[in-house]
Amino acid sequence: MSPLQLIFILVSAITLGAALMVVTTRNMVRAALWLVLTLFGVAILFVLLEAGFFAVAQVIIYIGAIAILMIFAIMLTRRIAHDPGPQINTTWPIAAVIALVVFGLIVFFVQGWEKTVSQPAPFPPGFDPLRELGVALVSANQYLIPFEIASILLLAALIGAIVIAWDKK
Amino acid sequence: MADPVTFIGQWLESIFAGWGLSSAWISVIMAALGVLVLSGSVLLVDILLVWVERKVVARFQDRLGPNRLGPFGLFQPIADVIKLLLKEDITPQGADKFVYNLAPILALATVIILWAVIPISVTVVGSTINVGALYIVAVGAIGTLAIIMAGWASNNKYALLGAFRMVAQMISYEVPMVIAILIPVILAKSMSLADIVASQSVWYIVLAPIAAVVFLIGAQAELGRAPFDLSEAESEIVAGFHIEYTGMKFGLFYAGELLHALTFGGLFATFFLGGWRGWGAETYPILGIGYFFIKAMFMYWVIMWIKYSFPRVRIDQMLNFCWKFLTPLILTVLSITAILDKLMSGVPYWIYVLVMLFSNLVILYFVYQAVGRYARKERQKVADPEKVQVNFRVRSSTPSQAS
Amino acid sequence: MIPLSWYLIFAAALFCIGLFGVLSRKNAVAILMGVELMLNAVNVNLLAFWRYLTFENMAGQVFAVIVFAVAASEVAVGLALVISVYRRRQSIVADDINLLKY
């Protein structure tokens, strides 16, 4: 087994384990920290996929902003002298069954698909995916318009979040 | 012996190949060895930094500093480490043990892994990823997480408050700092730090002085040093997020803070002062290592100079300064740099340098005028004499009626 | 090396764990964490397909970038809503927020 395969198996096992802890642990701040570990594992997988920019973007956006925002929200919405109670719905067996059925269906279809290549083709020399991504995002005949619309979406979310959370005293 | 590091690396590789290992495993082993050597040497420099910090602060405050242990007090850090190791290790009651112990480790680790992308000489760089500048931002983000973990796990409301304020300050000042990093990236046309250093035939502090100053201010705030040290303000909030840490755990936070300052000195040297570039550094890489450390130490001294000369700012003044002054300023500089870079694509380099420098000076002039006007208005508000309300009651008769 | 199916199965597992989290948790922030897991699984899927099948076409990467932006804005607005609800009702258990029910 090549080192890359070993690294993949190790990292995906840790990531899936941490994801399971996110959805089952009772203490919310612990769940947020397990989420950070999951997001970091996914960032390592992005490095294995030779998408280095996405690995660092994942760490900056998800761990550096979203996870910290979640930790702040958990700390601000905690009632100190409050019994947390059961953190899981009473209908959780049905949820587990649904999740397992969806997983089984996806695995069945992936195994039966004839295009699952076992090795990615190497990049042609001089092909820089970072540079190509940059060119694609600002070229008028490629993906400029979705890029601009995403900026407007972020601006709307920024204004919306401030307005919603404004404390009108 | 012009390049000792590469020489030793190639010698080790030939030994491993002689043992019959496949090349994939050789690269994994060499990478692991590189990690060990780099983090080891960085931590050794960290011990020296304790001595440097105490001597320099003493000289700024007109006293001598440690001078008893060893020549010039050089063995003081060893005494400090022994003292910290021998202290009692207290865990506060109700603290989340795992998170409480993980936080100082994470705080120090995120500083050490920053050294993986800094080019120390022509041939010595930990990892030549092509998104080096963004990697630095990402690692800073993990650092803020370590602080929240420390503040929350201490089960102490002052620690939590200190951690919140520190994180608010850090994520606010990350924005102008990241944009200030983008300006050398535009000038070098690459995010890889090795490329940025290699294209600095003229140091970028000449091409982008405003970006350098904004990066320095952002670094000062990221490090939590004065004038932005309200999270460790001893008269306000005791020790901030590391109140409940004793012994070597506090030592990890302290060492991490000093090393972080040197790392930002190294980053400033890489982005704006030409990194390892100097006379003869391309042919003799060992000279490059020397130049880099001289520049990094000089910038560390500048950061200490700022720390020991300024009083503390309040948190609302600090956030106002960041969002209302630094961010619009650096965005303006970024737009003008990008536009000028596109307009001058075929122009000889010395004209490019002069035009960039001139544009920065023009922006600086306008900023000076705007700040002067704002300061004048603020002074006016304070200096105007208050209009006193005077009530005149008109009497219908003179006071002395009964005379 | 690593076959594409391994990445797809990993992404499917992460997606299903996120799905289980959304369907079975009471705390509103925990539900948002489940949604984040699902979005991460989608990103892994997109980038795996981009790398293995069509790396000349940047559509996969651009789609992943847009997913990043959408996830960030959704979490921001979602948490603002959660904090606003907490201020009014002092509780963020999803079962308690039932004024619009029948």
Side-chain angles (χ1 to χ4, degrees):
Chain A
M1 193 174 283
S2 72
L4 274 179
Q5 291 188 338
L6 203 62
I7 294 177
F8 176 84
I9 292 181
L10 203 62
V11 169
S12 53
I14 294 178
T15 310
L16 289 175
L20 268 171
M21 294 303 297
V22 170
V23 298
T24 53
T25 189
R26 190 177 262 236
N27 183 349
M28 283 307 296
V29 183
R30 285 277 177 104
L33 293 175
W34 284 118
L35 182 70
V36 168
L37 184 61
T38 313
L39 298 171
F40 199 71
V42 172
I44 299 179
L45 280 181
F46 286 160
V47 173
L48 281 175
L49 277 170
E50 295 186 54
F53 171 72
F54 284 94
V56 274
Q58 166 96 354
V59 175
I60 298 176
I61 297 176
Y62 273 99
I63 299 181
I66 292 182
I68 290 188
L69 193 57
M70 285 198 174
I71 292 180
F72 271 114
I74 291 170
M75 288 185 194
L76 288 174
T77 57
R78 220 170 28 139
R79 287 197 279 166
I80 315 292
H82 168 65
D83 174 58
Q87 278 287 354
I88 250 185
N89 274 336
T90 47
T91 58
W92 72 268
I94 306 179
V97 163
I98 293 178
L100 282 172
V101 163
V102 170
F103 180 62
L105 280 174
I106 297 181
V107 168
F108 173 68
F109 282 119
V110 162
Q111 299 285 36
W113 192 41
E114 71 278 355
K115 268 178 135 193
T116 57
V117 298
S118 67
Q119 255 199 357
F123 285 143
F127 178 79
D128 187 9
L130 182 64
R131 192 176 173 278
E132 295 298 320
L133 174 66
V135 167
L137 280 176
V138 293
S139 298
N141 59 348
Q142 289 194 50
Y143 301 101
L144 174 65
I145 297 188
F147 182 57
E148 298 295 331
I149 296 181
S151 324
I152 298 181
L153 172 70
L154 283 170
L155 179 68
L158 171 72
I159 299 177
I162 294 177
V163 166
I164 292 175
W166 196 286
D167 209 6
K168 299 184 191 57
K169 288 224 172 67
Chain B
M1 260 311 130
D3 195 1
V5 181
T6 315
F7 182 73
I8 297 178
Q10 283 169 345
W11 175 69
L12 279 172
E13 270 186 36
S14 60
I15 291 186
F16 288 133
W19 289 352
L21 292 171
S22 75
S23 72
W25 283 107
I26 287 185
S27 51
V28 169
I29 294 179
M30 291 300 293
L33 273 178
V35 165
L36 277 174
V37 167
L38 186 62
S39 38
S41 29
V42 159
L43 285 171
L44 281 176
V45 171
D46 194 13
I47 297 182
L48 176 68
L49 284 180
V50 177
W51 176 80
V52 169
E53 172 99 16
R54 291 179 65 165
K55 270 296 197 191
V56 168
V57 61
R59 294 299 170 139
F60 272 120
Q61 292 170 351
D62 202 18
R63 53 186 173 90
L64 281 180
N67 56 358
R68 281 181 181 271
L69 299 173
F72 296 109
L74 272 172
F75 295 151
Q76 182 73 32
I78 302 180
D80 274 342
V81 167
I82 296 178
K83 171 195 82 166
L84 285 173
L85 281 172
L86 291 177
K87 281 203 173 181
E88 181 186 359
D89 200 18
I90 306 176
T91 307
Q93 191 187 33
D96 196 342
K97 276 203 172 28
F98 181 68
V99 178
Y100 181 78
N101 289 326
L102 183 62
I105 302 174
L106 205 60
L108 185 60
T110 57
V111 178
I112 299 179
I113 63 179
L114 268 180
W115 283 92
V117 286
I118 301 182
I120 306 183
S121 88
V122 167
T123 48
V124 178
V125 57
S127 159
T128 52
I129 54 176
N130 62 348
V131 284
L134 220 50
Y135 173 85
I136 295 171
V137 180
V139 168
I142 304 183
T144 58
L145 193 70
I147 293 180
I148 294 186
M149 280 166 54
W152 177 74
S154 302
N155 198 22
N156 179 340
K157 56 176 165 301
Y158 291 110
L160 194 60
L161 272 179
F164 276 169
R165 290 209 293 191
M166 181 80 182
V167 166
Q169 170 189 317
M170 280 173 91
I171 58 182
S172 304
Y173 276 88
E174 251 175 28
V175 174
M177 198 181 74
V178 168
I179 304 180
I181 291 179
L182 272 182
I183 294 180
V185 166
I186 291 180
L187 294 174
K189 317 232 182 327
S190 162
M191 275 204 261
S192 155
L193 290 192
D195 286 346
I196 292 180
V197 173
S199 64
Q200 281 191 46
S201 45
V202 176
W203 288 1
Y204 283 160
I205 195 169
V206 174
L207 286 176
I210 297 185
V213 169
V214 171
F215 180 76
L216 193 60
I217 298 176
Q220 199 77 8
E222 282 286 313
L223 296 168
R225 299 199 147 209
F228 301 113
D229 65 344
L230 39 72
S231 67
E232 328 180 312
E234 256 133 33
S235 52
E236 293 178 22
I237 201 169
V238 191
F241 61 91
H242 49 74
I243 300 175
E244 297 280 353
Y245 284 92
T246 59
M248 206 53 205
K249 293 186 196 137
F250 171 74
L252 285 181
F253 272 121
Y254 186 62
E257 183 183 320
L258 293 180
L259 188 60
H260 209 176
L262 179 70
T263 310
F264 269 105
L267 283 172
F268 189 95
T270 308
F271 281 120
F272 296 103
L273 292 182
W276 47 257
R277 291 186 81 100
W279 183 81
E282 280 91 357
T283 42
Y284 298 104
I286 195 164
L287 279 180
I289 303 181
Y291 289 141
F292 175 75
F293 272 109
I294 292 175
K295 292 176 194 174
M297 280 299 200
F298 173 70
M299 285 318 300
Y300 178 58
W301 180 80
V302 168
I303 289 177
M304 277 197 288
W305 187 17
I306 301 176
K307 169 174 178 170
Y308 293 118
S309 315
F310 280 99
R312 194 174 295 139
V313 281
R314 255 184 7 234
I315 183 147
D316 60 322
Q317 291 170 339
M318 193 184 63
L319 292 175
N320 272 342
F321 179 67
C322 168
W323 291 110
K324 295 189 187 169
F325 177 69
L326 278 186
T327 308
L329 169 68
I330 197 69
L331 280 172
T332 317
V333 173
L334 177 74
S335 331
I336 293 186
T337 306
I339 294 175
L340 283 177
D341 181 74
K342 257 306 177 204
L343 287 177
M344 294 197 290
S345 10
V347 153
Y349 198 55
W350 66 272
I351 299 184
Y352 187 86
V353 169
L354 285 174
V355 170
M356 284 291 183
L357 181 60
F358 183 67
S359 65
N360 270 311
L361 292 174
V362 165
I363 296 176
L364 207 56
Y365 172 74
F366 281 116
V367 163
Y368 179 69
Q369 297 287 350
V371 170
R373 241 180 303 142
Y374 171 74
R376 213 168 300 137
K377 235 187 327 175
E378 291 289 310
R379 281 200 293 268
Q380 200 82 336
K381 262 193 269 186
V382 177
D384 267 341
E386 268 182 36
K387 297 201 182 326
V388 178
Q389 277 289 76
V390 181
N391 289 324
F392 281 113
R393 261 184 310 154
V394 177
R395 292 183 192 272
S396 50
S397 56
T398 58
S400 54
Q401 257 187 337
S403 61
Chain C
M1 285 303 147
I2 305 173
L4 174 62
S5 54
W6 289 19
Y7 280 109
L8 298 180
I9 296 176
F10 167 79
L14 195 58
F15 185 85
C16 293
I17 294 176
L19 185 64
F20 174 69
V22 168
L23 290 176
S24 73
R25 295 280 257 164
K26 284 193 175 179
N27 195 330
V29 180
I31 298 178
L32 275 173
M33 286 188 201
V35 174
E36 285 310 306
L37 288 178
M38 291 202 276
L39 285 167
N40 269 292
V42 164
N43 258 335
V44 170
N45 228 342
L46 281 169
L47 284 175
F49 276 124
W50 168 79
R51 178 68 187 93
Y52 278 72
L53 292 182
T54 58
F55 61 79
E56 313 85 21
N57 187 1
M58 280 298 136
Q61 285 211 335
V62 170
F63 204 146
V65 166
I66 307 281
V67 169
F68 269 126
V70 165
S73 40
E74 164 238 334
V75 163
V77 175
L79 287 175
L81 281 170
V82 162
I83 291 184
S84 186
V85 165
Y86 178 77
R87 279 205 198 114
R88 293 299 187 93
R89 309 267 293 167
Q90 302 304 318
S91 155
I92 52 170
V93 173
D95 288 339
D96 291 347
I97 311 173
N98 56 3
L99 279 178
L100 282 180
K101 210 171 173 185
Y102 3 95

